[in-house]
Amino acid sequence: MGKLVVLTLLGAVLALIGERLVAFRQRTNASRAVEPVDLPNCHLIEGLENGSEDIDILPNGLAFISSGLKYPGMPNFASDEPGQIFLMDLNEQNPRVQALNISDGFDKASFNPHGISTFIDKDHTVYLYVVNHPHMKSTVEKFKFEEQQRSLVHLKTIKHELLTSVNDIVVLGPEQFYATRDHYFTNFFLVLLEMIMDLRWTYVLFYSPKEVKVVAKGFSSANGITVSLDKKYIYVADVLAQNVHVLNKHGNWDLTQVKVIQLGTLVDNLTVDPDTGDILAGCHPNAMKLLIYNPEDPPGSEVLRIQDVLSEKPKISTKYANNGSVLQGSSVASVYHGKLLIGTVFHKALYCLF
């Protein structure tokens, strides 16, 4: 009798694991092939060879680009080099990237930048906030941008027990920001288990010097985050659920869900078109190819535009798609007056005119 119970329980566990593995393959679009969608007037950006995971463009056309992310389970072509922040002036006829110098006193050797967000103060000072993973921990670094010197002055390292496994950030005030936690566990094998079992234990938090709190939860893997042009709504990408959450922002910084937009692709970082308010999403059409990297069959790239976000039926269109022959592992797309930048987790970056 005892053996029968054990065998029954073992069979149930194996059946559950099998069902979850099948579901995980579906959620990562493991069988999906990419149908190419090309844009005219595109070229790879010289100098960005080791990723361009996140991009934030100022209203004056200066684009900040985070590069060199080392992320558990993801490919990395420059594991011995620290990460960098690059600048690109999109007002130039042939814009080029320039690595920004970082002030002394900051540990540049362990710099591992992930999501980024800018904030312009009342006196027009530009601050850059960077999600950093030194030694695979999570902090938020606050820099002041010196435009004339093309440099970053490090001002502060922000730490908190809720700032764990941080992915992205959107800054809405002086040291006031929302951040996403993309995994509950920090051990890589437990992270894999978390994804396979679809535990939905990740969240969005609000941080200020006076208050830190979880303001939205229940995500499979909360990823990219940004804010609408009118600052009333927060947009959050749930990469494994293949959707974007539209959340109403309240005066006390709490968030309530308005709607969820299903995309059918694994959405990474989000940006907002400053001219239209549309959401642009950098996506992974087949994330299994990210987890099991094969240079002969690399992960593809995909950029979606979401129009009429608050309507009953938002319009979703594919602006760019590639099977990895040009661009691998797209993570972000950002526009500035007819110019499009597409960044990647670990690969190159694309500049397009449209």
Side-chain angles (χ1 to χ4, degrees):
M1 184 67 179
K3 289 183 179 179
L4 180 60
V5 172
V6 170
L7 289 174
T8 301
L9 289 174
L10 180 60
V13 169
L14 291 175
L16 175 62
I17 292 174
E19 182 271 330
R20 291 294 183 176
L21 285 172
V22 170
F24 181 64
R25 283 184 55 83
Q26 293 173 342
R27 284 186 285 121
T28 56
N29 285 350
S31 301
R32 183 184 172 191
V34 179
E35 295 292 332
V37 176
D38 294 322
L39 283 170
N41 305 314
C42 291
H43 67 264
L44 294 171
I45 301 172
E46 185 177 352
L48 290 176
E49 310 295 331
N50 301 315
S52 40
E53 204 279 337
D54 203 6
I55 300 170
D56 199 344
I57 304 176
L58 294 175
N60 65 3
L62 293 180
F64 294 92
I65 305 168
S66 67
S67 180
L69 174 65
K70 300 165 189 65
Y71 193 82
M74 293 292 110
N76 185 275
F77 298 149
S79 57
D80 296 330
E81 298 179 17
Q84 292 179 290
I85 301 294
F86 288 89
L87 188 73
M88 190 173 187
D89 188 347
L90 298 178
N91 298 294
E92 296 177 356
Q93 186 172 358
N94 297 299
R96 298 182 178 184
V97 295
Q98 174 186 356
L100 293 176
N101 292 320
I102 298 177
S103 60
D104 294 336
F106 177 71
D107 183 6
K108 303 171 198 174
S110 67
F111 191 37
N112 189 12
H114 201 163
I116 61 175
S117 180
T118 56
F119 175 72
I120 304 174
D121 216 338
K122 293 179 180 179
D123 63 359
H124 307 295
T125 302
V126 175
Y127 296 95
L128 178 70
Y129 289 72
V130 181
V131 175
N132 186 22
H133 301 296
H135 312 293
M136 296 304 166
K137 305 295 183 181
S138 286
T139 62
V140 174
E141 311 294 345
K142 180 182 178 182
F143 298 94
K144 182 172 74 170
F145 174 53
E146 299 286 358
E147 186 172 351
Q148 297 300 320
Q149 291 80 17
R150 290 293 199 263
S151 65
L152 295 172
V153 177
H154 184 251
L155 301 178
K156 187 176 183 179
T157 296
I158 299 172
K159 299 179 181 180
H160 192 274
E161 61 183 10
L162 289 178
L163 287 169
T164 302
S165 194
V166 182
N167 186 295
D168 198 15
I169 183 175
V170 58
V171 183
L172 299 180
E175 294 186 24
Q176 294 172 315
F177 58 79
Y178 293 106
T180 56
R181 178 173 183 167
D182 58 7
H183 298 296
Y184 181 81
F185 296 107
T186 54
N187 176 277
F188 177 64
F189 294 103
L190 290 178
V191 166
L192 280 178
L193 179 64
E194 175 186 347
M195 291 191 296
I196 291 170
M197 298 304 291
D198 194 21
L199 296 180
R200 298 180 179 265
W201 288 352
T202 72
Y203 54 71
V204 177
L205 67 87
F206 168 72
Y207 176 93
S208 75
K210 295 182 179 180
E211 182 182 28
V212 184
K213 59 183 179 179
V214 174
V215 290
K217 56 187 178 180
F219 300 91
S220 290
S221 182
N223 200 293
I225 186 168
T226 192
V227 63
S228 61
L229 290 183
D230 60 11
K231 311 298 183 186
K232 293 181 179 179
Y233 300 96
I234 298 297
Y235 305 138
V236 180
D238 190 340
V239 59
L240 285 174
Q242 303 186 14
N243 58 36
V244 172
H245 292 245
V246 180
L247 303 162
N248 192 13
K249 182 174 73 69
H250 299 283
N252 63 355
W253 300 97
D254 285 348
L255 301 176
T256 54
Q257 185 162 286
V258 176
K259 65 189 304 182
V260 178
I261 303 172
Q262 292 296 145
L263 298 180
T265 187
L266 288 90
V267 57
D268 200 318
N269 287 318
L270 306 172
T271 64
V272 171
D273 187 328
D275 295 328
T276 65
D278 299 344
I279 298 174
L280 285 157
C283 305
H284 305 291
N286 183 333
M288 190 61 75
K289 292 184 179 182
L290 275 176
L291 297 172
I292 307 173
Y293 182 74
N294 177 3
E296 301 300 319
D297 185 21
S301 294
E302 187 173 32
V303 173
L304 301 185
R305 178 184 286 272
I306 307 172
Q307 297 171 278
D308 303 322
V309 175
L310 296 175
S311 68
E312 286 190 13
K313 292 185 178 180
K315 181 181 178 182
I316 301 167
S317 57
T318 303
K319 307 311 295 182
Y320 177 81
N322 179 262
N323 63 2
S325 60
V326 176
L327 203 65
Q328 301 178 17
S330 58
S331 57
V332 63
S334 193
V335 295
Y336 177 78
H337 301 331
K339 300 172 182 179
L340 173 67
L341 297 179
I342 306 174
T344 65
V345 178
F346 61 89
H347 195 233
K348 302 180 181 181
L350 202 63
Y351 171 77
C352 302
L353 299 174
F354 67 97

